[in-house]
Amino acid sequence: DISAGEVLFSDTPEAVGPDSNTKPVPVCLTCYKRLPCLVYRCWHCSWPLCSPFCQKADGPHARECELFQIHSPRFNIEDFDKPCHWYNAIMVLRILWLKENKPETWKLLDILMDHLDEQKVESKINCKGVIDFIHNHCKLNQFTEKEIRHIIGVIDTNAYIIGENPNKDVDLQGVYPFTSILNHSCTSNTINYARDNFSFACRAVVPIKKGEEITTNYLHYNYHFFGLSFRRPELLENWHFLCTCQRCQDCTEFGTMSDALLCTECEQGKLLPLNMNSGAQWVCGTCYATQTSDEVKRTITFYWDLIEETTGKYDIQALLELLQKMSNLFDENHYYPLEVKRRIIENIVNYEDLAEVLLEKKIKFCRDHLKIQGILAPGLSEYRAYISNHIAGPLYWLAKERYKEKTITEEDLTETMEEVAQHLLLVIQIWGPFRKRSSERVAAEKAKKLLKMVDEKYLHKNLGDRADQVLGENDIKVFQYLKKKKKLIKAWIDTNTHI
């Protein structure tokens, strides 16, 4: 059996490069900094780099450099501020290079799915440009068109965004041979994250029994509470499969009703699809009134557009009004109201300058999310870290101010600070081992600062030292809290897992 928090395996990327699913602009192919102009050319192949310091024999650029040297094509980029389609070929070339130089690794990547039959029109256009560059510009005809197309498909289907360049204006992607074969589940039992050397760690978020399949969630954690009406088309469009995980076979979403609409006929029941087919009718469980799937789609599309339009105004009051309007159509746990709450949560910041009512609102909405998180993304999930990261601050400020005003007792203050510490420790535990400079790691480091302040002023339990072990030594700790007689009693469980 595998414990929650345990690292199952580490995976090394067999190719890293600029994201090929964008319109790439010229970058240095060693450090990936944007190139403002022609600064320096590689000694061997003449490709633009940022400086002689990025001329490294064992650097990322070495693979395509070796291939470019075969026929020595010229690389003239006229405008360094505009996208250059040549960069779409870099990841492809770095994988094709493996065929002759690392045949065993090549075999691991060659067996990955490419889903070429389901490619979008823009992907096919990009595919033609990459083939033209490799065959006609670089004269690398040792790679067949079929091989090139296959690798483009492998990258589109299996590559992970693993970080960004130093200036955070270019996304980097990597292809991982073992991580790529993990199946998706909408309520998965692991997470995968990049570390400083771009290796991936696969870590259990819940206990996994012997014989149980290891799964991961392909969707970003901000979508882990979204209902089937969102997940099904999203997974089909981007990963080309219809998910049949346990959650997707349950129209109640494990009883959360995160995809349920309210019945406008009886005003008591909830509308859910009759079966899991995409065109199925939606039926009220109380009065058996029905709506067609097209009617439901129109409702969902209309209100999603409203959410996007309202969010663009950065107006908390407008979002609260939209939330009230949606309460007549969507179950309280439907992912639309929860998404509006999430966007309100993100907009309530600078706690010391806010009225108590807004802090209370943020705390309440975070608790609404935690209720769903415990079912749809349980354990040490990133969704949990995200919500814990948002709730800790307002809890801290509200308790501190109320104690100053003598509206709560010292015992109430201590209990709240224990809860704050619990949330901060979870943020550190889940996001602390992530790659430095990543947004998740930055959040974990900020959580550590607040944790030390809370501990020094109110708890006096040396919690900062525990946090340092995760952030400094990458020593995973499982922090377990037991609530007994309204007091949080902390128990430490050291899994002795080093990464």
Side-chain angles (χ1 to χ4, degrees):
D1 292 352
I2 298 168
S3 302
E6 187 173 344
V7 175
L8 282 68
F9 63 84
S10 294
D11 199 3
T12 302
E14 297 304 340
V16 172
D19 183 7
S20 57
N21 286 319
T22 60
K23 294 181 179 179
V25 292
V27 298
C28 174
L29 290 180
T30 297
C31 71
Y32 305 110
K33 288 181 181 177
R34 286 280 301 273
L35 294 175
C37 59
L38 180 58
V39 178
Y40 175 80
R41 285 192 182 273
C42 172
W43 295 341
H44 307 297
C45 71
S46 81
W47 189 278
L49 300 175
C50 71
S51 74
F53 297 105
C54 283
Q55 180 83 57
K56 299 177 180 178
D58 59 348
H61 173 57
R63 292 186 185 182
E64 63 269 14
C65 182
E66 182 180 321
L67 294 172
F68 292 154
Q69 290 178 62
I70 297 174
H71 297 290
S72 300
R74 294 182 62 82
F75 301 112
N76 294 320
I77 300 175
E78 295 181 358
D79 191 338
F80 283 78
D81 290 326
K82 292 183 178 179
C84 178
H85 71 275
W86 290 349
Y87 285 85
N88 284 322
I90 297 304
M91 274 289 287
V92 179
L93 288 170
R94 289 180 178 181
I95 294 178
L96 289 171
W97 176 89
L98 296 168
K99 184 178 179 182
E100 296 295 328
N101 295 276
K102 291 186 177 182
E104 293 303 314
T105 302
W106 164 260
K107 290 178 184 177
L108 291 173
L109 298 185
D110 191 39
I111 63 173
L112 296 176
M113 298 289 287
D114 58 28
H115 291 292
L116 289 175
D117 294 340
E118 296 91 355
Q119 270 192 341
K120 302 175 188 176
V121 173
E122 56 266 33
S123 294
K124 292 179 179 179
I125 294 172
N126 174 49
C127 194
K128 290 180 181 178
V130 171
I131 293 168
D132 177 69
F133 175 75
I134 293 174
H135 278 174
N136 299 326
H137 193 91
C138 300
K139 310 297 182 186
L140 298 173
N141 295 306
Q142 68 269 39
F143 305 119
T144 67
E145 182 174 329
K146 182 179 179 180
E147 286 175 330
I148 297 171
R149 288 184 181 276
H150 172 59
I151 295 305
I152 292 172
V154 165
I155 294 170
D156 284 346
T157 305
N158 299 281
Y160 286 81
I161 297 298
I162 57 176
E164 60 283 311
N165 68 346
N167 295 329
K168 295 193 174 185
D169 54 7
V170 175
D171 285 334
L172 304 180
Q173 62 180 349
V175 177
Y176 297 79
F178 299 109
T179 304
S180 295
I181 64 175
L182 288 179
N183 282 333
H184 165 86
S185 172
C186 294
T187 300
S188 63
N189 52 24
T190 71
I191 59 171
N192 296 284
Y193 56 90
R195 297 182 287 195
D196 289 335
N197 60 357
F198 290 129
S199 67
F200 251 30
C202 177
R203 193 174 76 203
V205 297
V206 293
I208 304 174
K209 294 181 180 179
K210 183 179 180 181
E212 186 179 345
E213 182 183 11
I214 295 170
T215 59
T216 192
N217 197 323
Y218 295 171
L219 299 172
H220 188 272
Y221 57 83
N222 278 351
Y223 302 103
H224 287 187
F225 61 90
F226 274 43
L228 183 63
S229 57
F230 171 87
R231 300 195 314 276
R232 171 177 277 156
E234 187 74 8
L235 291 167
L236 186 60
E237 180 179 356
N238 291 288
W239 288 277
H240 315 293
F241 70 91
L242 282 172
C243 185
T244 58
C245 72
Q246 187 179 359
R247 178 177 165 190
C248 284
Q249 295 182 63
D250 177 6
C251 63
T252 73
E253 306 264 358
F254 298 154
T256 63
M257 299 296 176
S258 69
D259 210 33
L261 276 64
L262 300 180
C263 179
T264 54
E265 295 291 328
C266 68
E267 299 183 350
Q268 293 179 350
K270 298 174 182 180
L271 289 167
L272 289 170
L274 186 61
N275 55 53
M276 306 317 292
N277 297 328
S278 58
Q281 281 196 323
W282 288 56
V283 181
C284 172
T286 300
C287 72
Y288 304 108
T290 62
Q291 284 190 29
T292 67
S293 66
D294 287 339
E295 289 175 316
V296 172
K297 285 177 184 176
R298 282 195 292 271
T299 299
I300 292 212
T301 301
F302 175 78
Y303 276 91
W304 182 257
D305 291 342
L306 270 184
I307 292 172
E308 293 285 77
E309 179 185 333
T310 308
T311 305
K313 300 174 183 177
Y314 299 99
D315 187 340
I316 293 174
Q317 186 58 40
L319 284 168
L320 289 169
E321 290 171 2
L322 176 59
L323 188 61
Q324 179 61 36
K325 183 178 181 180
M326 294 170 70
S327 66
N328 298 320
L329 284 171
F330 299 95
D331 185 85
E332 64 177 355
N333 291 335
H334 188 280
Y335 68 98
Y336 271 19
L338 283 173
E339 175 61 8
V340 173
K341 290 177 182 179
R342 188 191 70 80
R343 297 186 186 204
I344 293 171
I345 286 168
E346 289 208 332
N347 277 300
I348 298 177
V349 294
N350 301 322
Y351 310 128
E352 61 270 29
D353 300 324
L354 294 177
E356 282 192 8
V357 65
L358 282 177
L359 295 180
E360 290 170 344
K361 189 73 70 177
K362 179 163 185 171
I363 292 168
K364 181 186 180 304
F365 289 170
C366 284
R367 294 202 191 283
D368 292 341
H369 270 278
L370 286 173
K371 181 176 66 173
I372 297 303
Q373 172 270 323
I375 300 170
L376 299 183
L380 305 175
S381 64
E382 288 193 78
Y383 181 22
R384 176 58 196 260
Y386 173 80
I387 298 301
S388 285
N389 188 47
H390 274 289
I391 197 173
L395 275 174
Y396 166 75
W397 280 100
L398 204 54
K400 186 178 71 167
E401 292 304 311
R402 285 177 172 173
Y403 184 69
K404 281 183 183 177
E405 296 164 0
K406 298 183 179 181
T407 57
I408 62 172
T409 66
E410 185 174 352
E411 183 180 2
D412 292 333
L413 175 70
T414 301
E415 184 172 331
T416 301
M417 292 305 173
E418 287 275 11
E419 184 184 355
V420 170
Q422 176 191 7
H423 287 296
L424 295 172
L425 286 166
L426 279 165
V427 174
I428 294 164
Q429 179 189 351
I430 296 168
W431 279 345
F434 279 48
R435 181 181 58 85
K436 290 177 182 176
R437 299 182 70 252
S438 67
S439 59
E440 294 85 2
R441 175 62 182 249
V442 170
E445 290 171 348
K446 288 181 179 178
K448 186 189 78 168
K449 290 180 181 178
L450 180 54
L451 176 65
K452 285 188 172 182
M453 185 189 308
V454 169
D455 189 49
E456 289 171 2
K457 288 186 177 181
Y458 306 103
L459 303 179
H460 315 296
K461 297 181 179 179
N462 298 318
L463 301 183
D465 294 340
R466 294 288 187 170
D468 286 335
Q469 289 179 327
V470 176
L471 292 171
E473 304 170 19
N474 285 334
D475 187 11
I476 300 284
K477 303 286 180 184
V478 175
F479 306 117
Q480 186 179 62
Y481 278 75
L482 306 173
K483 194 166 185 178
K484 187 177 181 181
K485 293 182 180 178
K486 296 185 178 181
K487 290 187 178 181
L488 291 166
I489 303 170
K490 179 168 58 68
W492 299 98
I493 302 174
D494 185 352
T495 61
N496 294 317
T497 303
H498 295 270
I499 59 174

